[in-house]
Amino acid sequence: MADVRRLALNLATLREQCGFGEAVALCARFGIHAVAPWVDQLQRFGLREAVRMLRDCGMEVTSYCRGGMFTASTAQERRQRIEDNRRRIEEAAMLGAGCLLLVCGGLPPQSRDLEGARHMVEDGIAAIIDDAAGAGVRLAIEPLHPMYAAEGSVVATLEQALDICDAFGPGAPIGVMVDVYHCWWDPGLERQIARAGRERLLGFQISDWLVPTRGRPFDRGMPGEGVIDIPRIRSRLEEAGYEGFHELEVLSAERWWRRDPVEVLRAAVERHALFC
Amino acid sequence: MADVRRLALNLATLREQCGFGEAVALCARFGIHAVAPWVDQLQRFGLREAVRMLRDCGMEVTSYCRGGMFTASTAQERRQRIEDNRRRIEEAAMLGAGCLLLVCGGLPPQSRDLEGARHMVEDGIAAIIDDAAGAGVRLAIEPLHPMYAAEGSVVATLEQALDICDAFGPGAPIGVMVDVYHCWWDPGLERQIARAGRERLLGFQISDWLVPTRGRPFDRGMPGEGVIDIPRIRSRLEEAGYEGFHELEVLSAERWWRRDPVEVLRAAVERHALFC
C-alpha cells in the first residue's frame, strides 16, 4: 500500500473546478503536502502571492508545468520559445519546484520532418540548460504517449528522453518525468527506469488508462479505474532509488473535471492508498 | 514517386461500401494487382469462390487479415484462439497469401498483467509456428500503435516484434508487418527496419496520421493527408531489401468509408503515386 504522505496533486486535476488558491487550500485540508501548479494557474493568481501561500501552507512543489514546446516553423518562433522557457526557469526557482517539466513539442505546422523536430528539441534544451543550472532548477523531460507525437511531443519514450539527457553528460540538471499514462505500454519501460537511476528520476505522475479508451483529448482515470499496474511501476522506480512524491494528475474532461473538488480529492486520497 | 504497380489494396479500406467480390473487381478495373482480404469478408463470400476469383483476375494476396489475438483470461480460451489461428493458416495457404497478419491481442479482460499477456503472445505463436511452416505460410507480427496496447496488441513496437521473431531463430516462417500508421512516431523505427532485413520484412501498410487526430476508433487518412513521411519510411524498407507491395489500408469511419468506392480507389491510386 502506498504511503499517503507521498501523494502530491497536480493542479490540472482540478483545473475546471478551482483556481490555484482554492485548490491549494483544499489540498492542505486533505493533508496533501505537495502540489504541481501550471503556468496559467499561477498567472491568474499571481506568482508572488502563490509563493507566499505555498510557504504558509507548508506545501512543496513537485513540478512546475510546464516548459518545452521547442518545435516551431521559424527560427524566430523557436527563439521566442527559448525566452519563454527562461522565464519558466526563473518562476520554477521562485517556487522552489522539484523540476520544470518539459513537454517538448510536436511536429511544427505542415511539417512531416520528425528528425528535424527532434533536433529542435535537443537544440532548445541545449539553449536553456545553463540557465537552469544557474537558477538551481532541474529540467524534467516528459515523454508523452505516442498518440501525441504530432501535436504534443516528438519525445515519445523514456529511452529517447534519457538519450537526450545523456548528451549533456553526468551532473547536468536534467532528467525525466515518468508519467504512467504516457509510458505504461512500453516494453522497454522497466529497463529504462533502471537505466535512469536516482539522479535522472525527477518525478512520478500517476493516473490510469481506461478501457475502452476514448484516447484523446482528456480521458484519464483515477488510479484503479484502468489497466495500469501502478504499484509495479512504482516499485521499479523505488528500486532505482526514487524517493519523491507520487503526483496524481487526472485529466478527465467528461468525468472527474465535472465533479465536486472535494469528491475528487477524497477519491484521490483513497485510490492512491489502495491502487498505487 | 512510387511505382503504381506496387500498390495493393487492403480491403478494409472499402469494408463499409463493398463485399469481397465487388471490391476485387473494382481493384482490377483500376489496374491494382494485389489485395489483402479480411476473414469476415471471405466468410461472407466463400473461400473457394474467392480463390477462384483472385486467380481469374490475376490478383495476388499480400496479406491475410488476420490471425493472432492470443491473449485471453482462461487456458481454454487461449487454446481456442490457437485453433482459430490454425484455420487461418490453412486459409492463408489456400489464398497463397504473402503472409498471415498477426494482431497479437491486448490485455485480457480485467487484467493489468502486461508481462503475462506478452508471454501469452509468445506461447501462442510458438504453438502455431510449425503449422505455418508445414503449410508454407509466413506469419507477420504487426506491432500496433501504443494507443491499442490494452485493447488490440501488447506488441507495440517493431523492436519488440523482432525480439519475438529472433526467439524462433533464423529461417523460421515469421517476420513483421510495418504499418506506417502504427510505427511512424517510433524513434527506433529506422534502426529496427534495418535490423529486420529482407527476410523479416513481410509487408508494408500505408495510410496517414491526421492532425488533429481523433485517435480512436478509426480516423486514418489517405497518404498525403497527414504528417507521416511515407517516402522516407519506404526508402528505409527498400534499403533493407524490401521489394514487396505497398498495401494501402485506410480505416476511416467518418470520411473515406462514407465515400463512393470508385472515388476512394481513384484517390488511392493518385495519392499513392504522389505521396508514397
Side-chain angles (χ1 to χ4, degrees):
Chain A
M1 187 183 283
D3 182 344
V4 295
R5 290 168 301 181
R6 303 284 292 280
L7 177 62
L9 190 79
N10 186 299
L11 298 185
T13 305
L14 297 176
R15 79 171 202 195
E16 301 295 318
Q17 301 102 319
C18 304
F20 175 84
E22 193 188 346
V24 169
L26 210 53
C27 285
R29 200 176 120 194
F30 273 86
I32 294 172
H33 300 292
V35 295
W38 284 62
V39 173
D40 61 320
Q41 295 173 323
L42 290 185
Q43 285 177 343
R44 283 194 296 271
F45 190 76
L47 183 64
R48 276 165 220 290
E49 293 73 11
V51 169
R52 194 179 313 124
M53 182 174 184
L54 291 165
R55 194 184 51 216
D56 292 349
C57 294
M59 196 72 79
E60 290 188 48
V61 172
T62 46
S63 65
Y64 180 39
C65 305
R66 58 193 195 188
M69 295 296 168
F70 300 107
T71 57
S73 299
T74 69
Q76 188 187 343
E77 285 174 282
R78 292 195 292 278
R79 280 194 299 271
Q80 184 56 53
R81 305 286 176 89
I82 287 166
E83 287 312 310
D84 292 343
N85 275 280
R86 289 184 172 133
R87 265 193 296 280
R88 299 291 96 78
I89 288 170
E90 291 171 17
E91 292 160 2
M94 286 181 64
L95 290 163
C99 60
L100 172 62
L101 195 148
L102 299 182
V103 171
C104 292
L107 289 169
Q110 315 306 324
S111 170
R112 297 189 177 103
D113 184 4
L114 205 44
E115 191 173 324
R118 288 171 182 151
H119 287 308
M120 290 179 194
V121 170
E122 292 158 7
D123 292 347
I125 296 175
I128 63 169
I129 191 97
D130 289 344
D131 301 272
V137 168
R138 294 183 298 179
L139 306 173
I141 301 173
E142 178 168 12
L144 294 198
H145 192 285
M147 70 184 169
Y148 298 104
E151 297 165 84
S153 176
V154 293
V155 180
T157 64
L158 204 51
E159 180 177 24
Q160 190 187 2
L162 289 167
D163 286 348
I164 296 173
C165 293
D166 284 355
F168 293 103
I174 188 161
V176 294
M177 171 64 76
V178 178
D179 182 325
V180 299
Y181 184 81
H182 293 302
C183 296
W184 72 276
W185 59 271
D186 183 355
L189 178 60
E190 301 195 3
R191 194 169 61 240
Q192 296 300 323
I193 288 172
R195 169 190 170 191
R198 183 191 180 97
E199 197 190 341
R200 295 284 194 218
L201 292 169
L202 302 187
F204 177 45
Q205 291 181 330
I206 55 176
S207 64
D208 215 334
W209 182 277
L210 299 179
V211 171
T213 184
R214 304 277 298 274
R216 308 187 60 240
F218 297 112
D219 176 46
R220 301 190 196 183
M222 282 278 174
E225 290 189 309
V227 299
I228 304 177
D229 188 345
I230 302 174
R232 180 173 174 135
I233 300 174
R234 176 175 66 81
S235 296
R236 294 299 97 81
L237 281 153
E238 288 170 357
E239 286 160 18
Y242 182 72
E243 294 181 339
F245 284 94
H246 312 153
E247 183 187 310
L248 185 133
E249 181 187 40
V250 177
L251 312 177
S252 169
E254 294 181 14
R255 298 174 64 249
W256 292 102
W257 280 346
R258 295 187 178 185
R259 300 202 185 164
D260 182 85
V262 170
E263 188 192 342
V264 174
L265 278 196
R266 190 176 295 128
V269 169
E270 286 175 5
R271 288 179 167 277
H272 173 257
L274 286 171
F275 297 106
C276 299
Chain B
M1 187 183 283
D3 183 343
V4 295
R5 289 168 300 180
R6 303 284 291 279
L7 178 62
L9 190 79
N10 185 300
L11 298 185
T13 305
L14 297 176
R15 79 171 202 194
E16 301 296 318
Q17 301 100 318
C18 303
F20 175 84
E22 194 188 345
V24 169
L26 210 53
C27 284
R29 199 176 120 195
F30 273 86
I32 294 172
H33 299 294
V35 295
W38 285 62
V39 173
D40 60 321
Q41 294 172 325
L42 291 186
Q43 285 176 344
R44 282 193 297 270
F45 190 77
L47 182 63
R48 274 166 222 289
E49 293 74 11
V51 168
R52 194 178 314 125
M53 181 175 186
L54 291 165
R55 194 185 50 217
D56 291 348
C57 295
M59 196 72 79
E60 289 187 48
V61 173
T62 47
S63 64
Y64 180 41
C65 308
R66 59 192 194 189
M69 295 296 169
F70 299 107
T71 58
S73 299
T74 68
Q76 189 188 343
E77 285 174 283
R78 292 195 292 280
R79 278 193 300 272
Q80 183 56 53
R81 305 287 175 89
I82 286 166
E83 287 311 311
D84 292 344
N85 275 281
R86 290 186 172 132
R87 264 192 297 277
R88 300 291 96 78
I89 288 169
E90 290 170 19
E91 292 159 2
M94 285 180 65
L95 290 163
C99 59
L100 172 63
L101 195 148
L102 300 182
V103 171
C104 292
L107 290 168
Q110 315 305 323
S111 170
R112 297 189 178 102
D113 183 5
L114 205 45
E115 191 174 323
R118 287 170 183 151
H119 287 309
M120 290 178 195
V121 170
E122 292 158 7
D123 293 348
I125 296 175
I128 63 170
I129 192 97
D130 289 343
D131 301 272
V137 169
R138 296 183 298 178
L139 306 173
I141 301 174
E142 178 168 11
L144 294 198
H145 192 285
M147 70 184 168
Y148 298 105
E151 298 166 83
S153 176
V154 295
V155 180
T157 65
L158 204 51
E159 180 177 25
Q160 189 187 2
L162 289 167
D163 286 348
I164 296 173
C165 292
D166 283 354
F168 293 102
I174 189 163
V176 294
M177 170 64 75
V178 177
D179 181 326
V180 300
Y181 184 81
H182 293 303
C183 295
W184 71 276
W185 59 272
D186 184 354
L189 178 60
E190 300 194 4
R191 194 169 61 242
Q192 296 301 322
I193 288 172
R195 168 189 170 192
R198 183 192 180 95
E199 196 190 342
R200 296 285 195 215
L201 293 169
L202 303 187
F204 177 45
Q205 291 181 331
I206 54 175
S207 64
D208 215 335
W209 182 275
L210 300 179
V211 172
T213 182
R214 304 278 298 275
R216 308 187 60 239
F218 297 111
D219 176 46
R220 301 191 196 182
M222 281 279 173
E225 291 190 309
V227 299
I228 304 177
D229 188 345
I230 301 174
R232 179 172 174 134
I233 301 174
R234 176 176 65 85
S235 296
R236 293 299 97 80
L237 280 153
E238 288 170 358
E239 287 160 19
Y242 182 72
E243 295 181 339
F245 284 93
H246 311 153
E247 183 187 310
L248 186 132
E249 181 188 40
V250 177
L251 311 177
S252 170
E254 295 180 13
R255 298 174 64 250
W256 292 102
W257 280 347
R258 295 188 180 185
R259 300 202 186 162
D260 184 84
V262 171
E263 187 191 343
V264 174
L265 278 196
R266 190 176 294 126
V269 169
E270 286 175 5
R271 288 179 167 276
H272 173 258
L274 286 170
F275 298 106
C276 299

